[in-house]
Amino acid sequence: SLLFFERHAERFLEKQELVAEYAHYRDTLHDLLDGLSLPVQPQVQEVGPGESPLLSELAKRFQHLTALDNSMEMLNRARNSLAQRLGRDAPGHQLNFIHGDTRVALTQGLQFDLLIYNMVLHHIPSPRETFQDCAQLLNQHGTLLLIDLSHHDQDWVRESCGDLWLGFTEQDLDAWAEEAGLDCGQRVYLGLRNGFQVQMRIFTRSQ
């Protein structure tokens, strides 16, 4: 997966939007963000932001924002994209960029009130371990917001988009979350015109 991103970083957003264009689910995602119970100034992290507009939208919402990516090329593209979109609209914001995965974040002792994975989990070899890491990275009552594809059988995305998983069933996500000690919350499903379905899931750390 990392090798794919290094080779195709320049056109990855274009490839990704063949499957799920961000504009098609942006409004629903922002409605979910509006409904979250977060501290006044939450610590927020997006994992694998790439060049999606979401990172700049989060920067306008939250003062303390971290971008985490295990591909330096994609992290640099996220940084440049954020600078172009944000300009001077967020003075005084604390924006951090970390090269690495969730294990790196754990070794740095980082804690967050909100973790966001936007179309990233299907690129990760072990989603089960990702849920375990997220549970440790979240503050008490912290929230994991996961946006990804529902399970599908269009395996052309493996070569074209670097997908390791053909989406996920809600049963798998529920099982991994519960095993990690996360409570399953709100869930939203949006059908796309190309036959894919986007699922948006909220998980919380209660203990």
Side-chain angles (χ1 to χ4, degrees):
S1 180
L2 180 58
L3 182 61
F4 179 89
F5 286 117
E6 296 294 349
R7 288 177 174 175
H8 301 279
E10 188 172 322
R11 298 187 60 190
F12 178 72
L13 183 60
E14 175 185 337
K15 290 174 177 290
Q16 181 67 54
E17 292 199 340
L18 290 173
V19 178
E21 187 175 347
Y22 176 66
H24 291 164
Y25 60 89
R26 175 195 284 121
D27 290 345
T28 303
L29 173 54
H30 278 275
D31 287 343
L32 284 176
L33 288 170
D34 289 340
L36 295 179
S37 297
L38 297 171
V40 175
Q41 293 190 354
Q43 294 286 340
V44 179
Q45 176 174 268
E46 184 182 2
V47 178
E51 297 176 279
S52 168
L54 177 57
L55 187 64
S56 60
E57 294 167 2
L58 293 173
K60 293 176 182 178
R61 279 177 173 263
F62 304 113
Q63 285 192 322
H64 305 288
L65 177 63
T66 298
L68 177 75
D69 205 303
N70 64 351
S71 166
M72 181 58 77
E73 175 66 22
M74 295 302 290
L75 190 66
N76 287 335
R77 287 182 173 274
R79 192 196 311 268
N80 294 337
S81 178
L82 180 63
Q84 292 174 5
R85 290 193 173 104
L86 199 60
R88 299 183 179 181
D89 291 342
H93 280 46
Q94 179 184 339
L95 305 175
N96 298 317
F97 294 84
I98 299 176
H99 179 218
D101 55 16
T102 48
R103 295 300 168 91
V104 171
L106 284 171
T107 62
Q108 295 186 14
L110 301 177
Q111 292 275 272
F112 299 95
D113 301 297
L114 174 61
L115 291 174
I116 300 176
Y117 283 72
N118 178 30
M119 294 295 172
V120 171
L121 194 66
H122 59 254
H123 294 292
I124 295 177
S126 180
R128 176 177 173 270
E129 291 182 5
T130 296
F131 272 89
Q132 299 282 346
D133 290 349
C134 288
Q136 297 180 64
L137 286 169
L138 286 173
N139 289 321
Q140 187 174 8
H141 306 302
T143 297
L144 168 63
L145 174 54
L146 176 68
I147 306 101
D148 216 294
L149 298 173
S150 296
H151 182 67
H152 62 85
D153 59 4
Q154 300 192 47
D155 60 2
W156 60 267
V157 298
R158 295 188 189 275
E159 182 176 350
S160 297
C161 303
D163 293 16
L164 299 181
W165 295 78
L166 300 181
F168 302 97
T169 66
E170 64 176 21
Q171 291 80 9
D172 280 339
L173 296 179
D174 287 349
W176 292 328
E178 291 171 6
E179 184 180 357
L182 298 175
D183 296 331
C184 302
Q186 189 175 358
R187 58 192 76 194
V188 177
Y189 301 90
L190 297 175
L192 304 179
R193 288 174 294 181
N194 56 9
F196 290 98
Q197 184 182 61
V198 172
Q199 56 178 319
M200 301 183 189
R201 301 291 309 277
I202 291 176
F203 306 94
T204 57
R205 178 185 169 185
S206 58
Q207 301 297 328

